[in-house]
Amino acid sequence: MVRFRRKTCITLTILMSLIFLMMMALKTLRPVESRFGNPFGLGLFPALQRAEPEFHKTNVEEHIERRSSKNNLTKSMTLDNQLRKVSLPNYNLHTFYYSWYGNPKFDGKYIHWNHPVLPHWDPKIATSFPRGKHNPPEDIGSNFYPLLGPYSSRDPAVIEAHMQQLQTAAIGVLSLSWYPPDMKDDAGEPTDELVPAVLDIAHKYQVKVTFHIEPYQGRNDLTMRNNIQYIIDKYGGHPAFYKYKTRTGSLLPLFYIYDSYLVSPETWGNLLKESGHNTIRNTKYDGIFIGLLVEEKHKHDILAAGFDGMYTYFATNGFSYGSSYRNWKSIKAFCESNNLIFIPSVGPGYVDTSIRPWNIQNSRNRINGKYYETALSAALQVRADIISITSFNEWHEGTQIEMAIPKTAGEITYLDYLPQKSSIYLDITRKWAEKFNTEREKWLV
């Protein structure tokens, strides 16, 4: 009996030793890329391998989207350090910015996110398309859905997040859509009271602010003179207030005048020519005034009116004479021969069928950023004085470079930036901002 027990112990000892040796051998055969060493060599047998956390997917964008999905607005708007690749701002790179958005938390109601669907001007065509208003927060007046959700432009955290994104993109100047105090666009509310907050927060991020004056009712040479005086007196002393350095070395405020063609060259001349009845030239309210070029004849109207330059605004290549890349070379030549500034406008794409469902023909696919890069390349090829971006956040027309996310809400599936990151258009802008700086240095040699 004792002999039997002894043999059994010896046998068990040998068997355990063999098992131990086999385990060690298998462990040495585990895959090199295995992070922590799969137990018992299971890395050799994929069918039996346990799923491990996908650590390579913990990128900034997913962090932000996860926070946003929990409605943690403050955290979602604090961009991760990995995203915020800060570059020096390029003050020859401007972007059009809209502060007309509102939500119940900050404004008591949704503003602009509930934009009405606009009817076609032909009643026969209009009957073929839906009418009504959008119903936020799931249904908004945009073909894309913002990472920050249907935000309020009054929310300081939103302005902060926007300035962080502008800094990421190396954009130096924000061109703020502006109406005179107590005036507004058809779908919005007055926004002049938001200007101080925009200026203050922009200054924190080295972003300058200029004004994009909208075509309000009653706009003429006299009301515009009052507008310019108001803006310069109230905001001109702020360190974030943008001033353009002229060829003579003077620093003057710059104003974009949207739909300037709605006012006759003769009327503009009263304000913008030295001989005009209400001239601002050679006064403390003098500035650089940029008119909108849509049709070819507007080149001559802008020159006759006394403007200092022209911009093209629209992000739809081929939509108008001014927005067509093929015309930019001749427009630039016209400007050079008449001592005018040429500011072509580039954009990442265009789609406004959420509010103009009949306007499909003017949509321009983003092509994963290629459309945007083609526009930026065209602007550099003509040696543009300044490049303007349409837009940072004009969500209704789908021209935004602001961060967007994939979203489906009921029957609505929004467009998105996939397979690229939510920051793709900020990244592209930063890359071309650096190219623009490099090219300008060559031009000035």
Side-chain angles (χ1 to χ4, degrees):
M1 192 70 176
V2 172
R3 190 178 299 166
F4 175 77
R5 289 177 177 170
R6 187 177 298 160
K7 287 182 178 179
T8 302
C9 289
I10 294 170
T11 301
L12 288 172
T13 301
I14 293 171
L15 182 60
M16 290 177 66
S17 298
L18 288 171
I19 291 172
F20 178 77
L21 290 172
M22 289 176 65
M23 288 171 60
M24 293 301 294
L26 285 170
K27 189 173 182 179
T28 61
L29 292 173
R30 69 178 173 84
V32 173
E33 67 272 19
S34 178
R35 291 189 185 87
F36 305 114
N38 290 308
F40 307 110
L42 289 178
L44 296 173
F45 307 99
L48 301 177
Q49 191 171 5
R50 293 186 305 202
E52 293 184 350
E54 294 183 286
F55 288 90
H56 62 286
K57 289 186 179 179
T58 57
N59 55 51
V60 174
E61 180 182 359
E62 292 189 6
H63 279 308
I64 294 174
E65 290 177 10
R66 195 154 52 242
R67 292 167 182 167
S68 181
S69 68
K70 295 178 182 178
N71 294 319
N72 193 338
L73 185 60
T74 302
K75 290 184 179 179
S76 73
M77 291 185 295
T78 302
L79 302 184
D80 238 294
N81 287 333
Q82 294 178 59
L83 175 62
R84 293 183 58 200
K85 298 176 182 177
V86 178
S87 300
L88 291 175
N90 185 330
Y91 294 111
N92 294 304
L93 190 61
H94 302 185
T95 189
F96 298 110
Y97 182 88
Y98 296 86
S99 60
W100 56 25
Y101 301 104
N103 62 26
K105 182 177 179 181
F106 286 88
D107 307 88
K109 60 183 178 179
Y110 283 108
I111 304 173
H112 265 273
W113 300 116
N114 61 345
H115 200 289
V117 177
L118 302 174
H120 194 277
W121 54 85
D122 185 336
K124 294 180 180 178
I125 297 176
T127 58
S128 302
F129 294 95
R131 298 288 295 272
K133 297 182 80 171
H134 289 277
N135 186 26
E138 299 298 294
D139 172 19
I140 64 173
S142 172
N143 291 76
F144 294 85
Y145 202 87
L147 182 146
L148 301 179
Y151 54 76
S152 170
S153 298
R154 296 177 184 277
D155 184 351
V158 166
I159 303 174
E160 189 100 18
H162 286 170
M163 298 308 160
Q164 289 177 0
Q165 291 186 40
L166 290 170
Q167 186 184 61
T168 296
I171 295 171
V173 180
L174 174 160
S175 183
L176 180 63
S177 172
W178 186 83
Y179 285 86
D182 301 323
M183 300 191 78
K184 60 186 180 62
D185 68 280
D186 292 339
E189 297 291 338
T191 58
D192 177 64
E193 64 189 80
L194 304 182
V195 175
V198 172
L199 286 164
D200 288 345
I201 299 174
H203 184 55
K204 288 173 57 178
Y205 294 91
Q206 298 180 285
V207 175
K208 302 295 183 182
V209 178
T210 189
F211 290 76
H212 193 191
I213 300 180
E214 300 284 357
Y216 57 85
Q217 187 174 4
R219 190 177 68 175
N220 57 35
D221 55 314
L222 182 58
T223 58
M224 275 291 295
R225 194 180 203 284
N226 293 336
N227 297 158
I228 300 306
Q229 288 178 341
Y230 173 85
I231 290 171
I232 292 177
D233 287 344
K234 188 166 185 178
Y235 306 122
H238 196 285
F241 187 81
Y242 174 68
K243 292 183 179 178
Y244 175 82
K245 188 174 184 179
T246 67
R247 293 175 183 175
T248 61
S250 300
L251 293 173
L252 294 175
L254 183 147
F255 299 93
Y256 290 93
I257 313 298
Y258 189 67
D259 279 1
S260 53
Y261 58 84
L262 295 177
V263 175
S264 70
E266 293 76 21
T267 300
W268 283 124
N270 289 330
L271 176 74
L272 301 177
K273 288 189 168 183
E274 290 185 18
S275 58
H277 298 308
N278 295 309
T279 186
I280 44 77
R281 298 305 187 187
N282 301 316
T283 73
K284 71 173 185 175
Y285 301 112
D286 203 351
I288 303 297
F289 295 86
I290 309 297
L292 177 61
L293 173 69
V294 180
E295 300 176 19
E296 185 172 8
K297 68 174 184 175
H298 293 158
K299 291 189 302 187
H300 306 282
D301 291 343
I302 287 170
L303 177 63
F307 281 95
D308 301 285
M310 58 190 73
Y311 74 118
T312 60
Y313 186 77
F314 298 105
T316 306
N317 182 27
F319 171 70
S320 68
Y321 169 81
S323 69
S324 300
Y325 310 156
R326 67 178 181 273
N327 297 325
W328 286 358
K329 184 177 180 180
S330 63
I331 296 170
K332 170 67 174 178
F334 177 87
C335 288
E336 284 188 336
S337 62
N338 290 285
N339 198 29
L340 297 173
I341 301 167
F342 178 47
I343 307 179
S345 301
V346 302
Y350 186 95
V351 58
D352 65 354
T353 54
S354 177
I355 62 169
R356 299 184 186 97
W358 38 266
N359 198 32
I360 298 172
Q361 72 275 10
N362 283 319
S363 294
R364 297 294 184 272
N365 194 297
R366 292 183 174 231
I367 324 173
N368 297 323
K370 292 180 181 177
Y371 181 91
Y372 191 31
E373 298 212 57
T374 298
L376 286 159
S377 177
L380 257 65
Q381 286 176 21
V382 298
R383 297 190 174 191
D385 303 287
I386 292 171
I387 298 175
S388 57
I389 299 168
T390 307
S391 64
F392 179 77
N393 65 338
E394 219 296 13
W395 288 92
H396 304 312
E397 297 182 345
T399 62
Q400 78 290 335
I401 62 171
E402 184 183 353
M403 298 169 77
I405 57 170
K407 183 176 177 64
T408 298
E411 296 181 356
I412 304 172
T413 298
Y414 291 91
L415 299 176
D416 54 57
Y417 302 163
L418 294 176
Q420 308 294 341
K421 301 182 298 180
S422 286
S423 63
I424 178 61
Y425 296 99
L426 306 178
D427 297 337
I428 290 174
T429 306
R430 181 178 63 252
K431 179 179 75 173
W432 283 87
E434 293 168 358
K435 285 187 178 183
F436 191 21
N437 266 337
T438 301
E439 290 300 311
R440 280 182 59 82
E441 289 175 2
K442 294 177 183 177
W443 305 338
L444 298 173
V445 172

